[in-house]
Amino acid sequence: NCGETYGQWRGTDFTTNSLVDCSIEGTIVTIADGTNTSSCFPFYGYWQDSQGTESQFIYGSDMLTELRGKSISKMTFYSTTSSQSFTGTNRVSIGITSDNSFSGAFKTSPSQVVFTGQVSVSGGQHTIVFDAPFEYPAEGGNLLIEYLLTAAGNCPGVSFYGINTSSYTGRCRFSDYQFLPKVDFTCCGESNACPEVTNVAIDNIA
């Protein structure tokens, strides 16, 4: 089995390792679990007819200790609306920032784009499945998430649950906000399937 030591040859242990497998759901970490609401985060539904509409928000490193060293494959937000579809195109980006709040301006867009397409709410949940996993650093860091409308569509309003904060942890269009949306971060699981070992050469057998 993966992760077990099979034996020893000439003083060397041979050990197989479990593999990170993002097709398998692993740990789910819930952040900012509250009952306050906002229509601006994670995205601003009322302005989805205006290309360039942007929402950014920052989860502080101290909130994310359970994510350290993990690969994130999906995030889910919780809406007061049961079902709603949007026809515009949003680009969702995520990255680490040294900042922990906003002061009248958006941050530079995060480096990793994890999703581009239409967003929706279904069953009271809005889920983004990442195109590629985001590796949250083992040393931690403030996490910046951005929704940017790159092509306009319809604009029904939706609100999301979360928490009010003591600092300006979010920015939406022209204003800073003291709010963070509730989110479930789903981490990649581990596979028990071992990789095939091929082309092994053994030299200097006594």
Tab-separated table of all heavy atoms in Angstrom, residues 5-6 13 27-28 30 37-38 62 73 88 90 94-95 111 113 116 118 132 134-136 138 163 205:
chain	number	residue	atom	x	y	z
A	5	THR	N	6.475	1.055	4.153
A	5	THR	CA	7.833	0.632	3.837
A	5	THR	C	7.819	-0.862	3.544
A	5	THR	O	7.417	-1.663	4.383
A	5	THR	CB	8.781	0.934	5.004
A	5	THR	OG1	8.776	2.336	5.248
A	5	THR	CG2	10.209	0.492	4.684
A	6	TYR	N	8.259	-1.236	2.345
A	6	TYR	CA	8.182	-2.625	1.931
A	6	TYR	C	9.402	-3.444	2.335
A	6	TYR	O	9.317	-4.645	2.473
A	6	TYR	CB	7.995	-2.700	0.414
A	6	TYR	CG	6.562	-2.461	0.025
A	6	TYR	CD1	6.096	-1.174	-0.202
A	6	TYR	CD2	5.661	-3.508	-0.053
A	6	TYR	CE1	4.773	-0.947	-0.532
A	6	TYR	CE2	4.338	-3.302	-0.387
A	6	TYR	CZ	3.894	-2.016	-0.625
A	6	TYR	OH	2.592	-1.792	-0.943
A	13	ASP	N	15.858	1.997	2.906
A	13	ASP	CA	14.429	1.723	2.988
A	13	ASP	C	13.746	2.154	1.701
A	13	ASP	O	14.014	3.237	1.172
A	13	ASP	CB	13.795	2.474	4.172
A	13	ASP	CG	14.221	1.884	5.501
A	13	ASP	OD1	14.457	0.664	5.533
A	13	ASP	OD2	14.322	2.644	6.488
A	27	THR	N	-10.132	17.395	3.006
A	27	THR	CA	-10.591	18.252	4.094
A	27	THR	C	-11.397	19.431	3.569
A	27	THR	O	-11.050	20.030	2.553
A	27	THR	CB	-9.379	18.782	4.882
A	27	THR	OG1	-8.622	17.670	5.357
A	27	THR	CG2	-9.815	19.643	6.055
A	28	ILE	N	-12.495	19.759	4.243
A	28	ILE	CA	-13.282	20.963	3.945
A	28	ILE	C	-13.120	21.929	5.117
A	28	ILE	O	-13.415	21.568	6.262
A	28	ILE	CB	-14.762	20.634	3.715
A	28	ILE	CG1	-14.917	19.712	2.494
A	28	ILE	CG2	-15.570	21.919	3.522
A	28	ILE	CD1	-16.343	19.257	2.250
A	30	THR	N	-14.150	25.559	6.697
A	30	THR	CA	-15.148	26.631	6.648
A	30	THR	C	-14.595	27.882	7.310
A	30	THR	O	-14.100	27.837	8.435
A	30	THR	CB	-16.447	26.197	7.342
A	30	THR	OG1	-16.946	25.010	6.712
A	30	THR	CG2	-17.502	27.294	7.250
A	37	THR	N	-25.197	39.509	6.058
A	37	THR	CA	-25.322	39.327	4.610
A	37	THR	C	-24.773	40.535	3.848
A	37	THR	O	-24.717	41.650	4.378
A	37	THR	CB	-26.795	39.122	4.193
A	37	THR	OG1	-27.567	40.265	4.567
A	37	THR	CG2	-27.369	37.871	4.838
A	38	SER	N	-24.391	40.281	2.608
A	38	SER	CA	-23.918	41.332	1.706
A	38	SER	C	-24.253	40.941	0.274
A	38	SER	O	-24.198	39.764	-0.087
A	38	SER	CB	-22.404	41.522	1.836
A	38	SER	OG	-21.913	42.398	0.827
A	62	ASP	N	-4.477	34.366	9.890
A	62	ASP	CA	-4.860	33.735	11.157
A	62	ASP	C	-6.173	32.968	11.055
A	62	ASP	O	-6.478	32.131	11.908
A	62	ASP	CB	-4.947	34.789	12.265
A	62	ASP	CG	-5.963	35.883	11.965
A	62	ASP	OD1	-6.258	36.118	10.776
A	62	ASP	OD2	-6.464	36.508	12.910
A	73	SER	N	-9.039	22.885	-4.158
A	73	SER	CA	-9.603	22.548	-5.461
A	73	SER	C	-10.963	23.176	-5.735
A	73	SER	O	-11.432	23.194	-6.874
A	73	SER	CB	-9.742	21.024	-5.594
A	73	SER	OG	-10.603	20.505	-4.580
A	88	GLY	N	-23.306	36.690	-17.727
A	88	GLY	CA	-22.014	37.310	-17.983
A	88	GLY	C	-20.863	36.362	-17.686
A	88	GLY	O	-21.054	35.245	-17.198
A	90	ASN	N	-17.339	35.863	-15.613
A	90	ASN	CA	-16.499	36.313	-14.509
A	90	ASN	C	-15.168	35.574	-14.531
A	90	ASN	O	-15.116	34.373	-14.799
A	90	ASN	CB	-17.188	36.075	-13.162
A	90	ASN	CG	-18.089	37.219	-12.756
A	90	ASN	OD1	-17.664	38.161	-12.097
A	90	ASN	ND2	-19.351	37.134	-13.176
A	94	ILE	N	-7.069	34.098	-7.422
A	94	ILE	CA	-6.736	33.911	-6.014
A	94	ILE	C	-5.223	34.002	-5.847
A	94	ILE	O	-4.466	33.610	-6.735
A	94	ILE	CB	-7.292	32.544	-5.525
A	94	ILE	CG1	-7.109	32.359	-4.025
A	94	ILE	CG2	-6.696	31.390	-6.298
A	94	ILE	CD1	-7.873	31.151	-3.490
A	95	GLY	N	-4.796	34.555	-4.720
A	95	GLY	CA	-3.358	34.689	-4.491
A	95	GLY	C	-3.063	35.183	-3.083
A	95	GLY	O	-3.968	35.502	-2.303
A	111	SER	N	-2.397	36.393	-8.808
A	111	SER	CA	-1.634	35.814	-9.908
A	111	SER	C	-2.269	34.584	-10.543
A	111	SER	O	-2.063	34.320	-11.723
A	111	SER	CB	-0.223	35.454	-9.429
A	111	SER	OG	-0.299	34.573	-8.316
A	113	VAL	N	-5.412	32.559	-11.937
A	113	VAL	CA	-6.812	32.510	-12.374
A	113	VAL	C	-7.287	31.070	-12.198
A	113	VAL	O	-6.718	30.136	-12.778
A	113	VAL	CB	-6.958	32.952	-13.838
A	113	VAL	CG1	-8.408	32.818	-14.291
A	113	VAL	CG2	-6.478	34.392	-14.012
A	116	THR	N	-12.877	30.845	-15.192
A	116	THR	CA	-13.419	31.858	-16.101
A	116	THR	C	-14.703	31.301	-16.701
A	116	THR	O	-14.694	30.232	-17.324
A	116	THR	CB	-12.434	32.207	-17.227
A	116	THR	OG1	-11.205	32.671	-16.663
A	116	THR	CG2	-13.004	33.303	-18.121
A	118	GLN	N	-19.443	31.556	-16.572
A	118	GLN	CA	-20.672	32.039	-15.967
A	118	GLN	C	-20.794	31.524	-14.540
A	118	GLN	O	-20.406	30.398	-14.243
A	118	GLN	CB	-21.880	31.581	-16.792
A	118	GLN	CG	-21.920	32.191	-18.179
A	118	GLN	CD	-23.112	31.709	-19.005
A	118	GLN	OE1	-23.760	30.725	-18.669
A	118	GLN	NE2	-23.401	32.417	-20.084
A	132	ALA	N	-7.270	24.541	-11.899
A	132	ALA	CA	-6.073	23.895	-11.356
A	132	ALA	C	-6.032	24.226	-9.872
A	132	ALA	O	-6.438	25.322	-9.463
A	132	ALA	CB	-4.812	24.389	-12.059
A	134	PHE	N	-5.078	25.454	-6.150
A	134	PHE	CA	-4.256	26.529	-5.591
A	134	PHE	C	-3.504	25.978	-4.394
A	134	PHE	O	-4.098	25.407	-3.484
A	134	PHE	CB	-5.117	27.715	-5.167
A	134	PHE	CG	-4.344	28.804	-4.486
A	134	PHE	CD1	-3.610	29.711	-5.230
A	134	PHE	CD2	-4.335	28.911	-3.097
A	134	PHE	CE1	-2.875	30.718	-4.600
A	134	PHE	CE2	-3.612	29.911	-2.463
A	134	PHE	CZ	-2.868	30.807	-3.219
A	135	GLU	N	-2.184	26.154	-4.394
A	135	GLU	CA	-1.350	25.646	-3.309
A	135	GLU	C	-1.206	26.730	-2.233
A	135	GLU	O	-0.511	27.718	-2.426
A	135	GLU	CB	0.032	25.252	-3.842
A	135	GLU	CG	0.003	24.316	-5.048
A	135	GLU	CD	-0.579	22.954	-4.718
A	135	GLU	OE1	-0.517	22.559	-3.526
A	135	GLU	OE2	-1.103	22.291	-5.637
A	136	TYR	N	-1.900	26.518	-1.107
A	136	TYR	CA	-1.780	27.476	-0.019
A	136	TYR	C	-0.473	27.204	0.723
A	136	TYR	O	-0.192	26.064	1.114
A	136	TYR	CB	-2.977	27.375	0.928
A	136	TYR	CG	-2.965	28.438	2.007
A	136	TYR	CD1	-3.212	29.769	1.687
A	136	TYR	CD2	-2.683	28.117	3.324
A	136	TYR	CE1	-3.192	30.754	2.672
A	136	TYR	CE2	-2.665	29.087	4.311
A	136	TYR	CZ	-2.912	30.410	3.976
A	136	TYR	OH	-2.881	31.383	4.943
A	138	ALA	N	2.687	26.600	3.170
A	138	ALA	CA	2.819	25.989	4.500
A	138	ALA	C	3.045	27.045	5.571
A	138	ALA	O	2.679	26.850	6.736
A	138	ALA	CB	3.962	24.976	4.492
A	163	ILE	N	-19.625	37.308	7.676
A	163	ILE	CA	-19.424	38.002	8.954
A	163	ILE	C	-19.058	39.468	8.716
A	163	ILE	O	-18.406	39.805	7.718
A	163	ILE	CB	-18.314	37.336	9.792
A	163	ILE	CG1	-16.970	37.357	9.052
A	163	ILE	CG2	-18.707	35.916	10.174
A	163	ILE	CD1	-15.788	36.896	9.888
A	205	ILE	N	26.094	-5.230	-7.659
A	205	ILE	CA	25.574	-6.262	-6.763
A	205	ILE	C	26.716	-7.148	-6.333
A	205	ILE	O	27.404	-7.750	-7.153
A	205	ILE	CB	24.489	-7.109	-7.469
A	205	ILE	CG1	23.319	-6.207	-7.902
A	205	ILE	CG2	24.006	-8.224	-6.553
A	205	ILE	CD1	22.245	-6.932	-8.664
